[in-house]
């Protein structure tokens, strides 16, 4: 009998700087069977970013061609750049042995578009403990100019205003506590009845023999 974990689509969104990347990396260490969905973007890479690991970095014309081909399950313009999730990423993960799902680090527009197609996707919005702490974290990242920091800080209000699209709100004040909440969400979602009903039905069929 197959006791493999059910396949989970876990979407994480937050205003820029709230800690999504940090939490996503910790989640991947804890749940290596959850594959990180690598998005395409027209943004230029930050010094520590690797093509194919953090993003597929493409030109605007390459991105537009992918949109025209219908390659993206969702895409959006965020902070002046284009970002998209390719359908192939999800299709590949679904058939990959020992893959128990995917983690998406995408904005609220992408969360809404995936939710419209994948009804069982789980959506989590990460909140900063305060706006002043959000600004401090944006500045602390040091890879961006003050102009970009201010642009992302202003956009935070628009993103937070969309919290209603999400199943869970996790406050990232203390990092370990925020991580424990995320871990609890993954474990609880794996135990949702509809994700385990197949196993229950199989047990019943065997029992009838
Ligand atoms: P995002 O991916 O949401 O833009 P990052 O994960 O890059 O955010 O985090 C932004 C900055 O805040 C980073 O310098 C990170 O180390 C820091 N950070 C993340 N979570 C916390 C936390 N709970 N407490 C203090 N600093 C944090
Ligand atoms: P960053 O430039 O800081 O890596 O990401 C900026 C924003 O774009 C973040 O809110 C991030 O979640 C979002 N983002 C990253 N990839 C995608 C994607 O494929 N689709 C959408 N809609 N948003 C994305």
């Amino acid at each position: 009998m197959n006791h493999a974990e059910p396949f989970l689509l876990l979407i994480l969104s937050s205003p820029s700087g709230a800690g999504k990347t940090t939490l996503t990396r910790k989640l991947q260490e804890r749940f290596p069977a959850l594959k990180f969905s690598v998005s395409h973007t027209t943004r230029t890479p930050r010094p520590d970013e690797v093509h194919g690991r953090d993003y597929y970095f493409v030109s605007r014309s390459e991105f537009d061609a992918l949109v025209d081909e219908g390659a993206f399950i969702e895409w959006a313009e965020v902070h002046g750049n284009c970002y998209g999730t390719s359908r192939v990423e999800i299709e590949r993960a679904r058939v990959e042995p020992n893959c128990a799902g995917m983690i998406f680090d995408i904005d609220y527009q992408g969360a809404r578009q995936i939710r419209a197609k994948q009804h069982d996707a789980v959506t989590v919005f990460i909140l900063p403990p305060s706006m002043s702490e959000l600004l401090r974290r944006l500045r602390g990242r040091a890879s961006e100019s003050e102009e970009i920091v201010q642009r992302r800080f202003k956009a935070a209000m628009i993103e937070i205003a969309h919290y209603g699209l999400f199943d869970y709100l996790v406050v990232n004040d203390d990092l370990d506590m925020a991580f424990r909440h995320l871990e609890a969400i993954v474990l609880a979602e794996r135990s949702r009845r509809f994700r385990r009903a197949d196993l229950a039905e199989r047990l019943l069929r065997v029992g009838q023999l």
Side-chain angles (χ1 to χ4, degrees):
M1 192 156 292
N2 178 17
H3 294 287
E5 296 297 350
F7 196 82
L8 199 68
L9 297 178
L10 181 68
I11 298 177
L12 298 185
S13 292
S14 78
S16 183
K20 224 175 349 145
T21 309
T22 310
L23 285 164
T24 303
R25 292 208 176 126
K26 282 173 79 72
L27 260 188
Q28 278 182 283
E29 279 167 31
R30 168 68 180 85
F31 300 108
L34 292 180
K35 194 172 173 278
F36 180 67
S37 167
V38 181
S39 298
H40 286 69
T41 183
T42 59
R43 170 166 75 62
T44 49
R46 295 184 185 130
D48 58 338
E49 286 179 327
V50 177
H51 180 85
R53 183 194 70 182
D54 301 291
Y55 281 107
Y56 299 111
F57 296 98
V58 293
S59 66
R60 183 63 203 244
S61 58
E62 284 171 313
F63 193 93
D64 289 345
L66 288 165
V67 170
D68 290 346
E69 283 167 27
F72 295 127
I73 184 167
E74 67 76 29
W75 71 273
E77 197 177 315
V78 189
H79 312 311
N81 291 298
C82 292
Y83 296 84
T85 305
S86 79
R87 292 174 195 282
V88 176
E89 279 276 313
I90 303 179
E91 283 156 20
R92 253 193 237 132
R94 277 195 190 280
V95 296
E96 203 175 297
N98 304 321
C99 180
M102 299 193 82
I103 304 174
F104 301 87
D105 171 344
I106 61 178
D107 87 322
Y108 69 90
Q109 305 171 81
R112 192 199 67 235
Q113 292 173 52
I114 292 194
R115 239 316 176 45
K117 290 162 193 148
Q118 308 276 336
H119 300 237
D120 58 348
V122 179
T123 51
V124 180
F125 193 77
I126 315 282
L127 287 170
S130 66
M131 294 312 283
S132 55
E133 174 61 12
L134 181 68
L135 189 57
R136 198 190 66 77
R137 289 184 196 169
L138 277 171
R139 287 195 171 130
R141 201 155 51 187
S143 57
E144 282 129 346
S145 65
E146 181 63 20
E147 188 197 335
I148 292 182
V149 165
Q150 288 299 335
R151 186 167 171 176
R152 289 182 173 224
F153 185 66
K154 285 202 188 90
M157 299 306 277
I158 297 168
E159 289 169 53
I160 296 171
H162 289 86
Y163 76 87
L165 287 168
F166 294 83
D167 299 317
Y168 298 93
L169 302 180
V170 170
V171 182
N172 181 21
D173 189 354
D174 175 73
L175 184 65
D176 287 336
M177 187 53 77
F179 176 69
R180 283 175 60 194
H181 279 85
L182 276 179
E183 186 182 34
I185 289 167
V186 171
L187 295 176
E189 284 292 337
R190 282 180 172 173
S191 300
R192 291 288 294 266
R193 183 179 60 229
F194 71 91
R195 293 204 175 87
R196 291 296 192 196
D198 277 359
L199 174 61
E201 291 296 330
R202 267 185 276 139
L203 293 171
L204 285 171
R205 281 198 292 277
V206 172
Q208 279 163 7
L209 289 176

